[in-house]
Amino acid sequence: MDKELGHRSATPQLFAPQAPYDQRMLDVGDGHSIYVEQVGNPAGIPVVVLHGGPGGGCSPAMRRYFDPAIYRVVLFDQRGCGRSRPHAQVAANTTWHLVADIELIRATLGIESWVVFGGSWGATLALIYAQSHPTRVRALALRGVFLSTQSELDWFYGGGAGQFWPAQWDRFSTAIPKDERHDLIAAYHRRLFSGDYATEVAFARLWAGWENALAAIDSDGHPSEPPAEYAHAFARLECHYFVNGGFLDAQTAIMARMDRIADIPGIIVQGRYDMICPPAAAYRLHQAWPASRLVMVTRAGHALSESGITTELLRAMDFFAEMEPW
């Protein structure tokens, strides 16, 4: 989603475009190879960027949130999306596979610990990774918090957000027969994994279109149609994760393990009018995390590309650079 929005409004604030000094395919096992790149200063403060979705992939614009003189930036496409292969594959593709992949990247690159930067699903994964490997995380920069709870999924796929965007909700929900609309995630899952590529792409574009329409506060509700290949991976992976509850249970839920990151510094940047990930989750997270700071951006929605969101993320990275001797 963030990739498709193009980062237009954020562009004037960002650092100049940077070409990677390292690009590689990393074999992570289970038949998966993931794309990894590094930009910035090879001797700088390490930071890993976790993209949204699941299934969104990284974009060149994501490199530009970090001062290239200060940061060594690691970006990668998570299993099944972007330049990683096999494309749109959900076998051996769970939250815990991704956590293991992040650790493998860190060890492969010889990084002792790093800042973790993620938004939306990337924030979810950042929190789960930090709770699993707290000694490897120096700080967390999060945007558009999603805690991967059923209530959040119910909001977005059960009609809550549709109260604000009724025309877009109708397009998304009425593509499914009435007798299946009580569980739209399951209904879309059946079609996204039908085995017929044309059907899968058609429903993938509906799935991605519903999300993209609500991402930015200035959206007119009519985003451009995403390319078939991108939409196919994005929708299949996202739906796969959501139908499985993010592969979390009562013991591994984010809010159940906040004690593990209590002392890790964190900055949470949240749009006040985020229709995809409402601010209540960011507020709950902040309340349970003593070392965190919550920045509520008054006029912003969910998108990374929004000016206010970008301003606060850049400030967060400036703060972390000066926080302590690295």
Side-chain angles (χ1 to χ4, degrees), residues 92 97-98 107 126 144 290 302 323:
H97 287 101
L98 301 186
H302 184 72
M323 187 173 62

Side-chain angles (χ1 to χ4, degrees), residues 115-116 127 130 137-143 258 261-269 285-286 289-295 316 319-320 323:
V115 178
V116 183
L127 288 162
V137 178
R138 300 184 182 190
L140 288 155
L142 308 178
R143 185 265 311 170
M258 289 303 297
I261 62 169
D263 298 325
I264 297 176
I267 296 177
I268 306 163
V269 177
L285 178 68
H286 171 57
W289 185 4
S292 71
R293 176 159 58 93
L294 174 61
V295 181
F319 176 79
F320 290 147
M323 187 173 62

